[in-house]
Amino acid sequence: MFEEMAKSPAAWLSGKGEEALVVLSTRVRLARNVAGCRFPTSADTATKERIVGYFDSAVGRSEILGEGTYVTAQEVNDLDRDFLVERHLISPAFLNGDISKALYISPAERVSIMVNEEDHLRIQSLTAGFDPQGALEQAMRYDTEIGKFLEFDYDPDFGYMTACPTNAGTGMRASVLIHLPGLVLTRDIEKVISRITHSGLIVRGFYGEGSDVLGNLFQVSNQNTLGISEGEILHQITRVVREIIEAEAAARQQLMDEAADMIEDKIWRAYGILKYARVLTSEEVMNLLSAVRLGHAMKIIDFLSIALINEMLLLSQPAHLQKYFGQEMDPNRRDFVRAQLVREKLRNSD
């Protein structure tokens, strides 16, 4: 499955959103549970299968939900799962082992819904660039639609009830995937991360909780969901991300003021390796594309589009490579094919 999807750029990497030179995407995730049913973390198989059945019925009755793609865990193999993680449509822990799960993907992949992850439903909305309000409105549209067919577990005092207490209340997590090479190169990133965590937000890696930072890409998200409204969460993350964007801009200017020749050399070397290398590892290509992305933003490499750089970033991931070429490959073969794909993309851009 998903071979055709692999050959189409993800909408959230279009490079068309606000602050797209720094912010790749914005995500809003809503945690919801069906009233009267145990949470997936403590539910038996029959209960979880019943939840899948409830959502399946909602998809069948809803005109909006009927426009998307709906698959059960039995239809998704290991490579499909890795592909969906790379596409940021599911969490890394989802679809591991337990088959009493399902996944919904809206047209253009703007919304995905995980059934029986930590909560019965995880409604996730992705937008290009920095757009917290747009991501929330997109998620709420599906939340409202599903609420026509399913009764959510809601308490007047506590709000939406969730498997983990840290998600109770709004059940909302807003996050921004942000590119911070300037702060990394000036070695100010730790100070900025410290300020972020003291402001009530949290910083994670490229694939979210428990993942590593790759290509100078960080996820910044809220921690508090209880006793705070959706609007207040958006205000908080908007304020902090604006400060991070300003800090990154200052760092980039500092690099040009103090070490312009070295920065230009780093960027052009990265471009040269990408254009001519015969073997590229996943980690290597992420770091090289990070440098080229910085070069584009600083108008040093202005002949590549941000959309193309983002596309190569995603297609270079292991599962995407295999889906794109329609064959499973060992790591050594992937490194060779990855370099070939990047060379072809850059040659076509010329």
Side-chain angles (χ1 to χ4, degrees), residues 54-261:
Y54 290 157
F55 187 73
D56 185 36
S57 176
V59 171
R61 289 184 289 164
S62 166
E63 183 176 344
I64 293 174
L65 293 173
E67 296 172 350
T69 300
Y70 178 66
V71 294
T72 59
Q74 294 94 320
E75 301 173 80
V76 180
N77 61 33
D78 290 344
L79 182 58
D80 292 332
R81 182 197 65 220
D82 293 344
F83 170 80
L84 293 167
V85 171
E86 291 175 1
R87 205 98 175 160
H88 288 243
L89 293 171
I90 65 172
S91 63
F94 190 58
L95 298 181
N96 277 347
D98 188 352
I99 61 172
S100 304
K101 298 182 178 184
L103 174 68
Y104 173 87
I105 305 171
S106 76
E109 305 168 47
R110 289 186 170 87
V111 170
S112 66
I113 302 171
M114 292 177 282
V115 183
N116 284 333
E117 201 230 28
E118 186 177 77
D119 294 287
H120 292 146
L121 301 177
R122 287 283 177 92
I123 304 167
Q124 173 184 276
S125 167
L126 278 166
T127 60
F130 187 45
D131 187 15
Q133 186 62 43
L136 175 60
E137 290 173 0
Q138 203 165 245
M140 291 301 295
R141 178 171 180 253
Y142 281 80
D143 177 56
T144 301
E145 182 67 12
I146 296 168
K148 296 177 183 177
F149 307 99
L150 299 177
E151 181 186 354
F152 294 138
D153 193 351
Y154 183 86
D155 182 271
D157 295 322
F158 291 101
Y160 290 101
M161 305 303 290
T162 56
C164 181
T166 59
N167 289 321
T170 60
M172 173 181 158
R173 296 276 182 178
S175 65
V176 172
L177 184 60
I178 190 166
H179 185 221
L180 303 175
L183 289 167
V184 171
L185 288 170
T186 58
R187 301 183 180 180
D188 290 325
I189 190 65
E190 293 301 327
K191 288 189 296 184
V192 170
I193 290 176
S194 178
R195 289 208 307 268
I196 293 169
T197 54
H198 279 95
S199 66
L201 301 183
I202 190 168
V203 180
R204 294 182 169 122
F206 185 53
Y207 292 116
E209 187 173 0
S211 65
D212 295 328
V213 174
L214 299 171
N216 301 312
L217 291 163
F218 300 80
Q219 276 197 25
V220 179
S221 63
N222 66 294
Q223 292 190 82
N224 299 322
T225 63
L226 185 63
I228 184 172
S229 69
E230 291 88 348
E232 288 170 322
I233 292 172
L234 289 193
H235 176 76
Q236 179 190 36
I237 200 162
T238 297
R239 176 182 57 79
V240 173
V241 170
R242 292 284 183 202
E243 292 175 0
I244 299 170
I245 292 171
E246 290 177 7
E248 174 64 16
R252 294 180 183 188
Q253 187 59 53
Q254 179 185 340
L255 290 171
M256 292 306 293
D257 291 342
E258 299 177 2
D261 290 342

